[in-house]
Amino acid sequence: MNGLERIEKVFRMEEVDRIPWVPFVGVHGGKLVGVDAEEYLKSADRVVDGISKAVELYQPDGIPVVFDLQIEAEILGCKLVWSKENPPAVVSHPLADGVELSSLSLPEKSDGRFPIVLEATRELREKYPDVALYGLITGPFTLALHLLGTEIFMKLFEDPDYVNELMDFCTQVGIKHSEMLLDAGCDVIAVVDPMTSQIDPMSFETFVSPYVSQIFDFVRAKKKYSSFFVCGHAQQNIEVMFDCRPDNISIDENIPLDYVKEIALKKGISFGGNLKLTSVLLLGNELDSKKEAVDCLDLGGTKGFILAPGCDLPMDTPIANLQAVSEQVHNEYARQVTREMEHVSSLEPLNLEGHWVEGKVIVDIITLDSASCAPCQYMVEAVRKAASGFAGNVEVNEHKIKDVDGIRMMMALGVQNVPTTCINGKAEFISQIPRKSEIVKAIKNVMGR
Amino acid sequence: MSDILSKLSDCIEFGKINLASPFPPQMKEQEGADELTAKALAQGINPQDVLTQGLMPGMERVGVKFRENKVFVPQVLMSAKAMGTAMLHLKPHFLSGAAKQKGTFIIGTVLGDLHDIGKNLVAMMVEGSGYKVIDLGTDVDAAKFIAALRENPGAVVGLSALLTTTMVNMEKITQEIKQALPDTLVTIGGAPVNNDFCNKIGADNYSSDPQGVVEFLNTKVA
Ligand code: B12
């Protein structure tokens, strides 16, 4: 089963072999190829390189092509301010500055930065036929805010007819953009509408539901899939969002995953989320990221769930943290290890005094438990075989991290991955099962010293 | 409390601006904050009482409902608009010294950050609670805050930041303010900010919502 198939199955609420993962790489792609956000978002080549790098590093099942909610607004006349480490920001609102709504026309393929996005989509499609490509569009309410400014909130009450007209226009823009993205090769249309987090369910049903539903219906008619990204604290609207019938809803970190799961399963619609972007992925370390990933995976479960960050990844998110998440997705043992590490912060490393013996080589193997973890078992067997050739001069110890002392030993040796083999305290073989000859060589090396 | 002031409170709470305003539906064709404030003053009610017994209780009730997720940004903005309309009638009295404000609050979104919805709500709530508010807008650097402080000695400063990338600027601005005018109280807020961050950068208070800032100001200033 490849990534695209896996994601399509989740959208259809069918069984999958493992939970798929979709890192929302936006300007983070710029970091991966060493350019700032502006240069990145203005070049199809940079985007292709950035996403390619992300595919290679994070082994995702699906990935967005471009994550920038200002593309349509820019074309429709909003001024943008660019920054180095964030997507650009809209700083002017044409409809608030006297432009008539009736004078705006639907954008064309050749407008603004559409050609960049479409070109990048076509190239990535060619390069990665097995990865689900997400085409992002600005949700109609967020686009309406770009065009009109925060005045829109008061217009909901003071001039609802105008808001309806504006929402209709923004929806047509979204449908047209979706069509371009699908034609260029996207598999999924993600409607990203963070502004809806600021309104109540009744306003949502009145001014948002009738419009976004049209976009989801359009995508369905095209025989493709849709996802609704929340990006923000929108717990109050989750239920009405599901009622718009997207194929998936992806939620942000401030909404509890189990809450959404319950509604999703009841409604028979898939869901995704909600790795903590800032406190964990951006500011935490690898272990924090692993724990966060396992928590989400365990909570999300194997039916109708896609692992994803709460919203687009901050540019500077450490690569190692995202690789740590990817490892949890792909490796059952890695997940078990993470679960065992739950209590690490309350433990002290073991005191290694007396652990070393003059004239002897001490081999320590950190395992989950060689009885239940196949790679651990092979490593322990391989090392024991290799050591048997040295008579009594080599001592082999297995430390299972299912025991507290095993974890404390792991901490004392500074080991990060399981299984790892240390020779006289130095990590020699990490997560790989070496051949006997390599182990023998490594032991001899240490003896020679 | 007089009937007209309690009606005024309702107008603020439910965002009823004036007679012509269609919102909220249940108050259609009734007088709004605009008419009622003018009437109250014409009846000779003390402007101070109009503020503290009419407008402020209404604003506080929306603040609490907002904190409890019972209303959202649009409703609060309507309340704020109603409040703003009423304040137009009261401003001349404050300037003439006939009514007294509790203190001065200087607020702005920090350098590099353009988000202002949350900051505006805070500004409006604080104003609605009887303080003079100086809103420096968005993308504000330390020099501007310090200049405003020099013009308004003893004012409390509120900083807003919505981006992790501008939280660093919040730290710098706090430190520069404290260096230039060590007695200044700095209160911070915005979605990514929290109490730990507040302690770390040496600010005096963090509040997750406007009601919290008002409570802080009421204990420290009023
Ligand atoms: C609206 C919005 C915008 C609008 C802003 C319009 C405007 N005039 O403000 C626009 C579209 C322009 C915009 C632009 C950008 N945004 Co924006 N935006 C949002 C959004 C959807 C809502 C923010 C908001 O207004 N919330 C409502 C108010 C009421 O809440 P609040 O601001 O938190 O304020 C409350 C409290 O925090 C507190 N408070 C606030 N200030 C203060 C101050 C004091 C002193 C105190 C005590 C309390 C306090 O009281 C308020 C009321 O309760 C959020 C996502 C979300 N759904 O939350 C993203 C979000 C904040 N934006 C984000 C980003 C990345 C951007 C952009 C870089 C790119 C983009 N367009 O997406 C640009 C940056 C522009 C810039 N340089 O500043 C990210 C930030 C990620 C991060 N943590 O760094 C968010 C979280 C979205 C996301 N998940 O990616 N955005």
Side-chain angles (χ1 to χ4, degrees), chain A residues 109-305:
Chain A
K109 259 191 210 161
S110 53
D111 287 345
R113 286 182 286 132
F114 278 160
I116 294 171
V117 178
L118 299 175
E119 177 56 31
T121 305
R122 283 187 290 267
E123 283 184 39
L124 289 167
R125 175 74 303 155
E126 176 104 343
K127 215 167 156 183
Y128 300 109
D130 296 345
V131 175
L133 291 182
Y134 280 55
L136 267 63
I137 68 163
T138 309
F141 194 66
T142 299
L143 183 55
L145 176 97
H146 283 329
L147 293 174
L148 180 60
T150 47
E151 190 59 27
I152 189 161
F153 290 121
M154 284 168 276
K155 285 259 199 287
L156 297 180
F157 306 123
E158 297 184 312
D159 197 352
D161 293 343
Y162 181 79
V163 176
N164 278 317
E165 218 179 301
L166 176 56
M167 285 299 290
D168 185 57
F169 173 77
C170 293
T171 303
Q172 297 314 316
V173 174
I175 289 179
K176 194 142 186 212
H177 189 190
S178 302
E179 183 166 36
M180 294 176 203
L181 291 166
L182 291 174
D183 289 348
C186 285
D187 306 289
V188 179
I189 293 296
V191 177
V192 193
D193 215 347
M195 280 320 300
T196 61
S197 62
Q198 303 311 317
I199 63 177
D200 56 285
M202 205 166 111
S203 300
F204 188 99
E205 284 190 284
T206 313
F207 295 105
V208 181
S209 303
Y211 299 100
V212 280
S213 306
Q214 290 178 39
I215 304 178
F216 300 134
D217 288 343
F218 173 81
V219 175
R220 208 176 347 264
K222 284 275 212 176
K223 305 242 173 324
K224 297 284 176 183
Y225 295 93
S226 59
S227 180
F228 203 172
F229 287 11
V230 177
C231 288
H233 195 310
Q235 187 160 353
Q236 78 277 9
N237 288 331
I238 291 298
E239 187 116 27
V240 289
M241 290 177 76
F242 275 110
D243 290 337
C244 297
R245 311 299 303 168
D247 294 304
N248 175 269
I249 286 188
S250 200
I251 57 155
D252 212 338
E253 59 186 88
N254 27 34
I255 307 177
L257 195 55
D258 44 358
Y259 169 82
V260 173
K261 176 182 180 176
E262 201 186 308
I263 304 178
L265 295 182
K266 202 172 70 200
K267 306 246 178 201
I269 292 175
S270 71
F271 65 108
N274 68 348
L275 296 163
K276 292 194 179 67
L277 282 178
T278 309
S279 56
V280 177
L281 294 183
L282 178 64
L283 303 172
N285 59 25
E286 285 169 64
L287 184 58
D288 300 330
S289 306
K290 288 179 183 178
K291 284 184 184 166
E292 173 69 11
V294 169
D295 285 348
C296 286
L297 288 166
D298 288 349
L299 209 57
T302 49
K303 189 166 180 217
F305 175 64

Side-chain angles (χ1 to χ4, degrees), chain A residues 70 89 195 197-198 231-232, chain B residues 66 112-116 118 160 164 190 210 213:
Chain A
Q70 284 63 235
M195 280 320 300
S197 62
Q198 303 311 317
C231 288
Chain B
F66 183 64
D113 206 318
L114 302 170
H115 292 86
D116 67 359
S160 180
T164 37
V213 203

Side-chain angles (χ1 to χ4, degrees), chain A residues 70 86-90 145-146 150 194-195 197-198 231-233 252 278 311-312, chain B residues 66 73 105 107 112-119 121-122 158-160 162-165 187-192 207-210 213:
Chain A
Q70 284 63 235
N86 279 309
V90 164
L145 176 97
H146 283 329
T150 47
M195 280 320 300
S197 62
Q198 303 311 317
C231 288
H233 195 310
D252 212 338
T278 309
C311 196
D312 58 331
Chain B
F66 183 64
V73 169
F105 184 60
I107 190 168
D113 206 318
L114 302 170
H115 292 86
D116 67 359
I117 299 172
K119 180 222 40 161
L121 291 186
V122 172
L159 307 178
S160 180
L162 266 282
L163 298 168
T164 37
T165 48
T187 172
I188 62 170
S207 306
S208 60
D209 56 24
V213 203

Side-chain angles (χ1 to χ4, degrees), chain B residues 1 6 34 39 45 48 50 56 61 95 108 135 153 158 182 189 201 205 210:
Chain B
M1 200 209 300
S6 86
D34 190 19
K39 255 191 197 169
I45 301 179
Q48 187 67 35
V50 176
M56 279 166 45
R61 294 205 291 267
L95 294 177
D135 186 344
I201 70 171
N205 175 61

Side-chain angles (χ1 to χ4, degrees), chain B residues 179-213:
Chain B
Q179 212 158 30
L181 300 155
D183 294 334
T184 309
L185 290 177
V186 177
T187 172
I188 62 170
V193 180
N194 59 28
N195 230 337
D196 288 347
F197 183 73
C198 173
N199 294 335
K200 187 189 143 223
I201 70 171
D204 301 285
N205 175 61
Y206 158 77
S207 306
S208 60
D209 56 24
Q211 210 46 41
V213 203

Side-chain angles (χ1 to χ4, degrees), chain B residues 123-189:
Chain B
M124 294 184 253
M125 290 285 189
V126 171
E127 183 166 37
S129 306
Y131 293 84
K132 177 180 173 194
V133 171
I134 299 172
D135 186 344
L136 300 177
T138 58
D139 196 15
V140 184
D141 62 15
K144 274 199 210 137
F145 281 109
I146 293 169
L149 273 165
R150 292 203 195 280
E151 272 174 40
N152 299 277
V156 176
V157 175
L159 307 178
S160 180
L162 266 282
L163 298 168
T164 37
T165 48
T166 54
M167 283 166 69
V168 257
N169 297 343
M170 185 175 249
E171 177 167 8
K172 277 191 214 132
I173 292 171
T174 305
Q175 282 161 0
E176 282 182 44
I177 290 174
K178 294 270 177 186
Q179 212 158 30
L181 300 155
D183 294 334
T184 309
L185 290 177
V186 177
T187 172
I188 62 170

Side-chain angles (χ1 to χ4, degrees), chain A residues 288-364:
Chain A
D288 300 330
S289 306
K290 288 179 183 178
K291 284 184 184 166
E292 173 69 11
V294 169
D295 285 348
C296 286
L297 288 166
D298 288 349
L299 209 57
T302 49
K303 189 166 180 217
F305 175 64
I306 295 174
L307 181 71
C311 196
D312 58 331
L313 294 161
M315 186 159 194
D316 270 333
T317 311
I319 293 169
N321 286 359
L322 293 169
Q323 287 181 302
V325 172
S326 170
E327 189 197 10
Q328 306 304 300
V329 171
H330 290 277
N331 187 334
E332 162 61 26
Y333 294 119
R335 291 198 287 279
Q336 287 188 30
V337 170
T338 303
R339 286 184 202 111
E340 296 300 328
M341 301 297 284
E342 211 46 61
H343 319 288
V344 117
S345 53
S346 59
L347 294 176
E348 288 284 319
L350 215 61
N351 183 350
L352 292 181
E353 225 174 287
H355 184 66
W356 316 117
V357 184
E358 188 66 41
K360 247 191 178 179
V361 174
I362 308 292
V363 182
D364 295 295

